């Protein structure tokens, strides 16, 4: 196993463990990406997944926001994509310009030959996704302990949606068809994905990830009862079996974060799902979320990413609402957006967002 320099800034890890801290740590989802001019320079003519598969490019892209916002952010997140798991399962996934992810041959029904192949195949995520682990190790070495590194995966429900829809969707016809017409086959596929997620995250930790996050980006498409059937059990599978797998590999435990976008109705369930940190989107009031969760978990979030298109005054107001709602940030809060950074954001606006969090939460000088 690789040897890394000691961590100089462990604020986020201490916060994720529930410790009292001097200020809230801050980072944002999709902090490495196309809104940064330097991203396009490093990406060159490579397509998106080629960047993911190149440890050198992926590590370079991961470090860009750490370098640009030096001293303002307290974590890095490996540049990759949640859809590498379907790729490892044998599905073709392309990233189309101005359209997003595309599966030329999605799963149409359990009678689909591809479904049988996926369910029967023994998938080796260690070899299939080795490029991700190489990128993580390389990034940890380049970070030299400046900030901790997140690993991540997509949640089983969200991955199923992409695998049957063939990409993003507004009405989720295929996803709804699967869960309402083929519930048992859907659950079998979800369970298979969940097991792969456990192994994938464990190997990310082995490679150097110090904290992991599970992204359930399409959770909002499920009703409360369907969330309990088709999402929550598989999120719980990951939170239950990942610590066990880390023990089997002789690895230290790492904090686990769950982010179920749009599942505001499931906040109580998520607090009891086995994750130390629960991410919030911007559809929840910070004060209401803090009141409902009562310190059971650390909360992460949750400014509307769209505020970064607005004025500085609007950004200040959004930060102020978070700081006040989450109780000042000395315990139980990781400052973030309520979703990833969106295209065309001015990096200087994001910098101001970070600066305002620091300004409003720094300890008064003696």
């Amino acid at each position: 196993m690789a040897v890394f320099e000691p961590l100089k800034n462990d604020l986020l890890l201490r916060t994720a463990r529930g410790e009292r801290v001097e200020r809230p740590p801050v980072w944002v989802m999709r902090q490495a990406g196309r809104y940064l001019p330097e991203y396009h320079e490093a990406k060159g003519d490579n397509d998106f997944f080629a960047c993911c598969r190149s440890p050198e490019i992926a590590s370079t892209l991961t470090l860009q926001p750490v370098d640009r916002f030096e001293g303002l952010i307290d974590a890095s997140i490996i540049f990759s994509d949640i859809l590498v798991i379907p790729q490892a399962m044998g599905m073709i996934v392309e990233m189309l310009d101005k359209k997003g992810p595309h599966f030329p041959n999605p799963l149409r029904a359990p009678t689909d030959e591809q479904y049988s192949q996926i369910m029967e195949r023994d998938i080796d995520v260690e070899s299939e996704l080795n490029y991700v682990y190489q990128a993580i190790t390389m990034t940890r070495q380049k970070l030299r302990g400046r900030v901790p590194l997140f690993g991540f995966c997509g949640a089983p429900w969200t991955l199923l949606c992409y695998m049957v829809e063939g990409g993003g969707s507004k009405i989720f016809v295929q996803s709804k068809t699967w869960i309402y017409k083929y519930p048992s086959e859907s659950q079998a596929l979800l369970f298979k994905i969940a097991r792969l997620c456990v192994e994938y995250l464990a190997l990310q930790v082995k490679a150097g990830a110090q904290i992991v996050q599970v992204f359930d980006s399409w959770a909002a498409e499920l009703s409360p009862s369907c969330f309990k059937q088709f999402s929550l059990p598989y999120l719980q599978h990951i939170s239950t079996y990942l610590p066990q797998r880390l023990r089997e590999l002789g690895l230290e435990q790492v904090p686990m974060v769950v982010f179920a976008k749009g599942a505001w109705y499931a906040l109580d369930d998520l607090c009891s799902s086995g994750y130390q940190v629960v991410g919030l989107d911007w559809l929840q009031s910070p004060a209401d979320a803090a009141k409902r969760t009562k310190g059971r978990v650390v909360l992460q979030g949750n400014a509307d990413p769209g505020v970064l298109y607005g004025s500085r005054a609007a950004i200040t107001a959004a930060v102020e609402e978070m700081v006040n709602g989450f109780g000042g940030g000395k315990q139980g809060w990781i400052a973030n957006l309520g979703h990833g950074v969106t295209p065309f954001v001015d990096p200087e606006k994001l910098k101001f967002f970070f600066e305002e969090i620091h300004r409003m939460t720094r300890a008064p000088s003696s």
Side-chain angles (χ1 to χ4, degrees), residues 216-222 259-266 281 283-284:
D216 207 352
S217 306
W218 298 123
E221 298 307 317
L222 291 168
F259 176 62
K261 183 177 178 290
W264 54 268
Y265 53 80
D281 61 37
L283 302 179
Q284 302 189 63

Side-chain angles (χ1 to χ4, degrees), residues 205-347:
V205 173
K206 183 180 179 181
Q210 294 152 293
I211 182 170
V212 296
Q213 178 158 322
V214 180
F215 288 85
D216 207 352
S217 306
W218 298 123
E221 298 307 317
L222 291 168
S223 68
S225 59
C226 282
F227 184 82
K228 289 178 183 290
Q229 285 181 270
F230 298 104
S231 178
L232 186 61
Y234 308 100
L235 293 173
Q236 291 173 321
H237 181 92
I238 295 170
S239 67
T240 299
Y241 288 96
L242 177 57
Q244 178 178 311
R245 184 63 179 132
L246 293 177
R247 286 191 293 271
E248 291 171 356
L249 293 171
L251 300 170
E252 290 185 11
Q253 298 298 315
V254 300
M256 299 179 292
V257 185
V258 62
F259 176 62
K261 183 177 178 290
W264 54 268
Y265 53 80
L267 184 55
D268 287 334
D269 285 333
L270 291 168
C271 286
S272 305
S273 63
Y275 293 82
Q276 292 74 44
V277 182
V278 173
L280 304 174
D281 61 37
W282 69 95
L283 302 179
Q284 302 189 63
S285 154
D288 289 347
K291 184 177 180 180
R292 285 179 61 191
T293 54
K294 300 175 182 176
R296 287 176 287 165
V297 293
V298 174
L299 297 175
Q300 177 175 276
N302 70 332
D304 180 353
V307 77
L308 299 177
Y309 297 126
S311 65
R312 289 192 165 211
I315 293 171
T316 297
V319 171
E320 190 170 25
E321 182 184 7
M322 286 197 301
V323 172
N324 293 337
F326 292 121
K330 302 300 183 186
Q331 188 171 22
W333 175 43
I334 297 170
N336 205 308
L337 297 171
H339 195 35
V341 178
T342 45
F344 313 117
V345 160
D346 180 350

